Amino acid sequence: MAGNTFHKLRDEIENGIVTGEFEPGERLDEVQLATRYGVSRTPIREALMQLSAIGFVEIRPRRGAVVVDPAPERVFEMFEVMAEMEGMAGAFAARRHTEEDRAALVAAHAQCEAAAISEDTDRYYYENETFHRAIYAASHSGFLEEQCIALHRRLRPYRRLQLRVRNRMKVSLKEHGDIVAAILAGDMEAARTLLRGHIAVQGDRFGDLVATLGKRDRRKSLMG
Amino acid sequence: MAGNTFHKLRDEIENGIVTGEFEPGERLDEVQLATRYGVSRTPIREALMQLSAIGFVEIRPRRGAVVVDPAPERVFEMFEVMAEMEGMAGAFAARRHTEEDRAALVAAHAQCEAAAISEDTDRYYYENETFHRAIYAASHSGFLEEQCIALHRRLRPYRRLQLRVRNRMKVSLKEHGDIVAAILAGDMEAARTLLRGHIAVQGDRFGDLVATLGKRDRRKSLMG
DNA sequence: TACGCCATTCTTGTATACATAAAGATTGAC
DNA sequence: GTCAATCTTTATGTATACAAGAATGGCGTA
């Protein structure tokens, strides 16, 4: 076994949470995970410790680890902060982007457009992520980039169905276009405002999120 | 031993890093820590795992844990993000503060003023933290509050001498006054801008930080 | 004397064993 | 029949044991 099993396990379990394999509120049994991954409890525990520090799981003393199941208000707060962080990244990008950043942004936007035209939501989801990461990179703040990526991952379980909403892809693409224009024009405040609005949970998307959270709560109450 | 030794150890070690007992770049020997705290290596490792997930320590495979020693640019980036996060909290606070928040803010500001008048930098440092936490609380975003507190802690090793700079306390107090006014007036953008400027590393403070980092780097190079 | 190779030692990473608290079941009393 | 108390069971928390990769020092050779 390579030197850093716990690191791989951390990624593995985190991925399971992010993709919804382990649902919010689900109990994470140490021995069960250990047998599943063919290791002992020790590296499993170390992985869970790391995940608890990031906020993916909660470890209650003597009662084991569960996937964090934040209250709806907390999820809204997280989206709210995400919106501001993206705005921040956009503002920095507008001020600091290089020629390469510009090319990457335009290319990522074009890929999103292609995905939107072919109405391939899965592909759009992927290209959308590339687009946003291009903005983070263009901010030229490695720290901000990391923070954005981390928060983005944490929110992924709550963003799953968003793009399947009617017309969301087209609206999203239009917003991307405006964002690219603002960044390339070096307009910090426009980039900030547009990105904030692009991410923010408001209008229809508010209802979508409520529906998602509602489903989750129903399931939870069924399970006791 | 109570059920959550690793949790206490995590706080203990994190505190050691924050207060400078464990300096950036310092190696954290597992058995050494274990004997020091009178426990086995297991909970020590679990604590270190958590600290590595937050970014306080770095665990290199098969080569142990060291206190993270970020490059100067990274420290600047962290301050930059901190400034924006504080601005965010201020903007939210301006919009959402309640009567109790208002009272807490005014009271915290008064305590800062008292500390400044008595020229007690240690006390001002403490009251200043209370003041900023009052702003986080007034943002009415538990998530943002947590993020701000966490980043604030991470930056503490680099903020140590800041208030001892000539006149910094008076300038800081003046800025606090303007910030309180903006928040109480409900002026989101003024609160944001003022707090951003209050935290940002610029002008004299840039030099102070460079000096601090310089000292650290010199030490590091002496140690190989 | 300097450089490189090998052996020893030390430390980390993982597994297992043991202690203990919480959850669940069973029995007894009212 | 229901509730409660106790015992059993199960899983977590910690310690210890073992395996294996780095670091270190010594030895030999150029």
Side-chain angles (χ1 to χ4, degrees):
Chain A
M1 237 148 276
N4 42 0
T5 298
F6 66 85
H7 189 267
K8 286 172 193 162
L9 287 171
R10 169 185 157 340
D11 290 352
E12 200 82 33
I13 299 172
E14 179 180 326
N15 214 52
I17 295 173
V18 162
T19 61
E21 186 185 352
F22 303 122
E23 290 181 33
E26 184 172 341
R27 197 166 135 53
L28 296 171
D29 188 87
E30 292 178 4
V31 291
Q32 201 170 306
L33 290 169
T35 56
R36 165 171 177 169
Y37 293 111
V39 296
S40 81
R41 278 175 54 220
T42 308
I44 293 286
R45 278 184 66 85
E46 292 178 348
L48 290 177
M49 289 293 165
Q50 299 208 56
L51 292 174
S52 89
I54 319 177
F56 272 101
V57 312
E58 185 185 345
I59 297 181
R60 299 161 305 173
R62 282 277 173 203
R63 298 187 60 204
V66 296
V67 179
V68 161
D69 187 12
E73 314 90 76
R74 173 56 61 108
V75 177
F76 282 110
E77 288 169 8
M78 289 167 75
F79 272 103
E80 202 171 55
V81 171
M82 181 87 248
E84 292 281 339
M85 303 258 293
E86 292 258 358
M88 197 189 304
F92 289 0
R95 189 181 185 83
R96 303 175 181 164
H97 70 270
T98 65
E99 199 53 54
E100 296 87 57
D101 297 326
R102 175 187 291 257
L105 257 178
V106 170
H109 181 46
Q111 289 300 315
C112 284
E113 194 166 17
I117 287 171
S118 63
E119 294 189 350
D120 183 342
T121 46
D122 286 337
R123 185 179 163 204
Y124 190 89
Y125 186 91
Y126 176 79
E127 300 296 352
N128 178 61
E129 189 147 333
T130 306
F131 177 76
H132 283 273
R133 296 219 175 178
I135 296 174
Y136 307 157
S139 77
H140 286 266
S141 170
F143 181 71
L144 178 58
E145 190 176 359
E146 282 172 16
Q147 296 288 112
C148 284
I149 290 173
L151 185 49
H152 199 266
R153 273 181 80 78
R154 265 188 84 176
L155 285 172
R156 190 168 160 192
Y158 308 99
R159 259 186 303 105
R160 248 174 259 153
L161 302 173
Q162 260 177 214
L163 284 171
R164 290 191 169 69
V165 172
R166 198 166 62 84
N167 258 350
R168 176 63 200 151
M169 215 161 40
K170 281 213 176 74
V171 174
S172 171
L173 186 72
K174 164 81 169 63
E175 291 173 355
H176 280 197
D178 296 343
I179 289 162
V180 170
I183 291 175
L184 296 192
D187 188 337
M188 290 179 72
E189 287 318 309
R192 186 193 298 271
T193 307
L194 288 169
L195 266 160
R196 205 188 270 153
H198 180 62
I199 305 298
V201 173
Q202 53 197 6
D204 295 340
R205 307 174 68 202
F206 186 93
D208 301 340
L209 182 57
V210 168
T212 305
L213 295 174
K215 240 184 276 173
R216 185 170 55 78
D217 287 343
R218 195 155 61 247
R219 174 189 53 71
K220 197 172 73 172
S221 64
L222 283 173
M223 289 167 56
Chain B
M1 239 148 274
N4 43 0
T5 299
F6 66 85
H7 190 267
K8 287 173 192 159
L9 287 172
R10 168 186 157 341
D11 290 351
E12 199 83 33
I13 299 173
E14 177 179 328
N15 214 52
I17 295 173
V18 162
T19 60
E21 186 185 352
F22 303 122
E23 291 181 33
E26 184 173 340
R27 195 166 136 53
L28 296 170
D29 188 87
E30 292 177 4
V31 291
Q32 202 171 305
L33 290 169
T35 55
R36 166 172 175 168
Y37 293 111
V39 296
S40 81
R41 278 175 53 220
T42 307
I44 294 286
R45 277 184 66 85
E46 292 178 347
L48 291 176
M49 289 293 165
Q50 298 208 56
L51 292 174
S52 89
I54 319 176
F56 272 101
V57 311
E58 186 185 344
I59 297 181
R60 299 162 304 174
R62 285 271 173 206
R63 298 185 60 203
V66 296
V67 179
V68 160
D69 187 13
E73 314 90 75
R74 173 56 61 109
V75 177
F76 282 109
E77 289 169 8
M78 290 166 74
F79 271 103
E80 203 171 54
V81 171
M82 182 85 246
E84 292 281 338
M85 303 256 295
E86 293 258 357
M88 197 188 305
F92 289 1
R95 188 180 187 85
R96 303 175 183 165
H97 70 269
T98 65
E99 201 52 55
E100 295 86 57
D101 297 326
R102 176 186 290 257
L105 257 179
V106 170
H109 182 45
Q111 290 300 314
C112 283
E113 194 165 17
I117 288 171
S118 63
E119 294 190 351
D120 183 342
T121 46
D122 285 338
R123 184 178 163 206
Y124 189 88
Y125 186 90
Y126 177 79
E127 300 296 353
N128 178 62
E129 188 145 334
T130 306
F131 177 76
H132 281 273
R133 295 217 176 181
I135 296 174
Y136 306 156
S139 77
H140 285 267
S141 170
F143 181 71
L144 178 58
E145 189 176 0
E146 282 172 15
Q147 296 287 112
C148 283
I149 290 173
L151 186 49
H152 199 265
R153 273 181 79 77
R154 266 188 83 175
L155 285 173
R156 191 169 159 193
Y158 307 100
R159 258 187 301 108
R160 246 173 259 153
L161 303 173
Q162 258 176 214
L163 285 172
R164 291 193 168 70
V165 173
R166 199 166 61 84
N167 259 349
R168 176 61 201 154
M169 216 161 40
K170 281 212 177 76
V171 174
S172 172
L173 186 70
K174 164 82 169 63
E175 291 173 356
H176 280 197
D178 297 342
I179 290 163
V180 170
I183 292 176
L184 296 193
D187 188 337
M188 291 180 72
E189 287 317 311
R192 186 194 297 271
T193 307
L194 288 169
L195 265 160
R196 202 187 272 153
H198 180 62
I199 304 298
V201 173
Q202 53 197 7
D204 296 340
R205 307 174 66 201
F206 186 92
D208 301 340
L209 182 58
V210 169
T212 306
L213 295 174
K215 242 184 272 173
R216 186 171 54 78
D217 286 343
R218 195 155 62 249
R219 176 188 55 70
K220 198 172 71 171
S221 65
L222 284 173
M223 290 168 54

